[in-house]
Amino acid sequence: MVFASIDQALQNATPTLFQKAKPREQKASDWDDDVRDPWDAREVFELIREIRDPEHPMSLEELGVVQEELITVNDEENEINVTFTPTIPHCSMATLIGLSISVKLIRSLPRRFKVNLAITPGTHAQEHQVNRQLKDKERVAAALENPNLIKVVNNSLIKTVEEIDLDDDF
Amino acid sequence: MEAKLKIAKSEVLHKDRVWSVSWGHKDGIIASTSGDCSLKLWDKSLSPLDSFVHDRTVRRVKFAPDGKQLAICSFNGKVLIYKLENGVFEEYAELEGHESEVKSISWSADSSLLATCGRDKSVWVWECWEDGDYECAGVITSHSADVKDICFHPYDCILVSVSYDMTVKLFKEFDGEWDCIQTLTGHTDTVWCASWRPDGAKLATAGSDLCVRVLAFTNGKLELEANIQGIHDRTIYSVDWGEKGIVTGCADNKIRLLQESEGAWICVDSIAVMSDVNSVAWSKSGQQIAAGTDDGDLVLVDLVE
């Protein structure tokens, strides 16, 4: 995998900002202990909305990269589909963003789920190549054994800007 | 043939996914490797025999046909040979050469050659000399992407490799040089695995396009004979062709036995486990299948006829 160096000029200096989603509407059954709440798109969205973008101190939700509408969950079939929209069509951070989403989901979801992660169709010049790499679990596993990469990914998964403790050479 | 698969034993024996399993001499020993960076050896009832820890994922293990050595390859780019000394396997040689993760290994039928392949797009052929030395006999750079698996022909000096570039390549040795004599482009996504039928007359390849392709090897060339579709729901990571048929390991959590019946390939039986099946291997007796999964499970499956 080829990753752009972090200290090159910002690729997208003026990103469009999106409004945050409204809080979940509660149902009476949510409070009933005898009713099993299946996983749904909102729950998956809660896992990935706060992931930091590698370039800007904003969340993927605020940048419109992830949206609840682009997540589908089939709880019975143990399948989750997520597409993400890079902010610009030539964003070379697309693979890195995809990796961060992938890692967050692997670490947070019950093991029974199979996740299909891809770039929202038509939103990236290299979407086919990026999708193939993200789908290849052997390539992903090898990349995640790279300590520098894991550091960058982990930093994007920290919840608030205040919690990030960046080394000077990062 | 009314064959059924039955789980004989299933245990979580690794702390990370199991990538590879291999049967040793007379099925008395089983090797497994994992994302937990270890190579572990077990007896046939999965009691622990030995454990070796490395610094990165150990991707593949293959016992040599004579059972006296085994080879492993790692994401650190190295290939390690272990030799049987006084009943114990000991690290014997380290083969350097690949520039990045080494993905697979194959021994030639007489244990004198070793082929390896990896993300650097190359296939390396190593010669094992009688005095114990290993020498690089050739580096083949024919693929345009990550080479996922490599497989020596059961008796000919012929090699098959499969790749992320979606092709299957056939290599033959002429005067010490390995040449690519055929490239097949039938798969429509990454090809993950290949396995020759024990008599060397056919080859099975499979991958992310959810197909198992059966090719007949006639007059030195491979020709498509069957494209088995509609059976696997996700990527097929592993395929092993034994006397009783083709066994597959799939990301849809199933181990399947495929057999040819009246000219068509069917799934005779399947068994579900808890996660992706990364590796399947027939025992030498043909009575059992060993499998490794994403949950770190080692599974032994009985073939019941």
Side-chain angles (χ1 to χ4, degrees):
Chain A
M1 283 181 170
V2 177
F3 295 96
S5 104
I6 300 299
D7 47 34
Q8 72 185 27
L10 286 185
Q11 290 185 40
N12 186 5
T14 55
T16 311
L17 294 184
F18 291 72
Q19 264 204 329
K20 288 198 190 184
K22 297 199 187 70
R24 182 202 274 277
E25 271 179 43
Q26 295 193 13
K27 304 190 300 272
S29 63
D30 289 347
W31 297 98
D32 185 345
D33 281 346
D34 292 328
V35 173
R36 182 183 160 270
D37 302 318
W39 275 78
D40 59 14
R42 181 60 188 239
E43 199 157 1
V44 176
F45 181 62
E46 293 289 348
L47 289 176
I48 62 177
R49 66 194 295 194
E50 295 282 329
I51 297 173
R52 300 287 118 191
D53 179 82
E55 276 196 323
H56 312 88
M58 277 163 269
S59 72
L60 295 186
E61 173 187 14
E62 284 165 328
L63 292 167
V65 175
V66 297
Q67 294 165 249
E68 188 182 331
E69 293 73 26
L70 296 178
I71 300 170
T72 57
V73 176
N74 187 329
D75 185 81
E76 271 162 33
E77 298 290 315
N78 301 315
E79 204 166 318
I80 294 173
N81 294 299
V82 178
T83 74
F84 66 100
T85 315
T87 54
I88 48 169
H90 286 91
C91 174
S92 64
M93 301 281 175
T95 313
L96 183 54
I97 293 170
L99 257 193
S100 300
I101 296 172
S102 188
V103 169
K104 182 68 202 268
L105 292 176
I106 290 169
R107 288 179 184 168
S108 318
L109 289 171
R111 296 224 241 155
R112 62 185 170 95
F113 280 112
K114 306 278 183 193
V115 178
N116 303 315
L117 177 66
I119 290 179
T120 305
T123 65
H124 196 273
Q126 310 261 295
E127 78 182 58
H128 182 64
Q129 292 92 307
V130 175
N131 287 345
R132 280 197 74 205
Q133 283 196 19
L134 289 175
K135 195 177 77 160
D136 187 322
K137 76 180 186 192
E138 188 183 54
R139 295 284 281 267
V140 170
L144 293 176
E145 284 188 347
N146 176 336
N148 292 325
L149 183 58
I150 260 291
K151 206 172 171 183
V152 173
V153 167
N154 282 336
N155 276 324
S156 76
L157 301 184
I158 291 167
K159 266 203 121 163
T160 60
V161 177
E162 296 87 73
E163 285 173 56
I164 295 177
D165 181 12
L166 297 174
D167 286 338
D168 286 337
D169 57 279
F170 170 67
Chain B
M1 259 186 277
E2 255 304 311
K4 286 254 166 242
L5 300 173
K6 212 181 107 187
I7 292 188
K9 202 150 189 173
S10 174
E11 280 191 49
V12 180
L13 294 175
H14 280 280
K15 298 194 182 98
D16 200 298
R17 59 163 57 103
V18 176
W19 276 116
S20 176
V21 293
S22 178
W23 292 86
H25 187 59
K26 294 191 179 158
D27 297 336
I29 184 169
I30 297 170
S32 62
T33 69
S34 167
D36 67 11
C37 307
S38 73
L39 158 70
K40 290 189 191 282
L41 301 177
W42 317 92
D43 72 8
K44 59 187 182 181
S45 54
L46 299 186
S47 300
L49 290 177
D50 218 336
S51 177
F52 307 90
V53 181
H54 300 279
D55 61 334
R56 290 199 56 186
T57 286
V58 184
R59 177 61 183 89
R60 196 88 57 167
V61 60
K62 291 275 171 74
F63 274 99
D66 63 14
K68 296 178 191 161
Q69 318 175 67
L70 64 80
I72 58 167
C73 66
S74 164
F75 280 359
N76 68 9
K78 306 235 181 80
V79 177
L80 287 177
I81 311 287
Y82 286 75
K83 270 202 175 154
L84 195 56
E85 293 287 335
N86 304 317
V88 166
F89 277 95
E90 278 172 16
E91 201 178 303
Y92 179 81
E94 192 176 272
L95 308 179
E96 281 179 321
H98 279 286
E99 287 167 16
S100 53
E101 301 91 69
V102 189
K103 307 272 171 105
S104 193
I105 302 165
S106 179
W107 291 92
S108 63
D110 61 1
S111 304
S112 73
L113 291 178
L114 191 64
T116 61
C117 65
R119 183 165 67 87
D120 61 7
K121 308 172 198 165
S122 67
V123 169
W124 288 59
V125 181
W126 309 84
E127 256 170 326
C128 319
W129 294 96
E130 267 168 33
D131 61 3
D133 256 348
Y134 291 84
E135 232 174 68
C136 171
V139 179
I140 316 167
T141 50
S142 188
H143 280 289
S144 57
D146 191 7
V147 188
K148 298 293 199 188
D149 200 7
I150 187 97
C151 199
F152 264 109
H153 187 272
Y155 51 84
D156 271 343
C157 225
I158 296 247
L159 204 48
V160 148
S161 63
V162 300
S163 166
Y164 186 95
D165 68 11
M166 309 193 288
T167 69
V168 174
K169 282 178 182 282
L170 199 60
F171 301 97
K172 193 179 160 99
E173 196 231 339
F174 295 101
D175 274 342
E177 291 285 313
W178 286 85
D179 292 332
C180 177
I181 55 171
Q182 194 181 2
T183 299
L184 298 119
T185 55
H187 278 291
T188 55
D189 206 334
T190 300
V191 191
W192 278 92
C193 49
S195 177
W196 290 95
R197 197 169 77 171
D199 65 1
K202 301 200 185 179
L203 176 75
T205 62
S208 291
D209 62 2
L210 319 187
C211 298
V212 178
R213 289 168 75 81
V214 174
L215 304 133
F217 188 47
T218 31
N219 299 321
K221 279 225 160 344
L222 289 166
E223 254 169 46
L224 181 69
E225 196 180 81
N227 190 10
I228 310 168
Q229 302 173 87
I231 291 181
H232 300 82
D233 295 324
R234 295 182 76 89
T235 293
I236 303 156
Y237 285 118
S238 181
V239 71
D240 194 16
W241 203 331
E243 298 292 340
K244 301 283 164 74
I246 295 175
V247 70
T248 62
C250 183
D252 64 9
N253 301 2
K254 295 210 173 105
I255 297 165
R256 289 181 176 82
L257 175 62
L258 309 175
Q259 287 176 346
E260 211 172 352
S261 165
E262 287 160 15
W265 282 89
I266 55 165
C267 174
V268 167
D269 198 11
S270 72
I271 224 159
V273 291
M274 301 300 288
S275 57
D276 288 16
V277 184
N278 298 316
S279 179
V280 287
W282 282 106
S283 65
K284 300 199 195 304
S285 69
Q287 300 301 313
Q288 277 197 316
I289 297 155
T293 79
D294 262 5
D295 278 339
D297 285 355
L298 258 190
V299 185
L300 290 181
V301 178
D302 283 334
L303 179 70
V304 182
E305 284 175 300

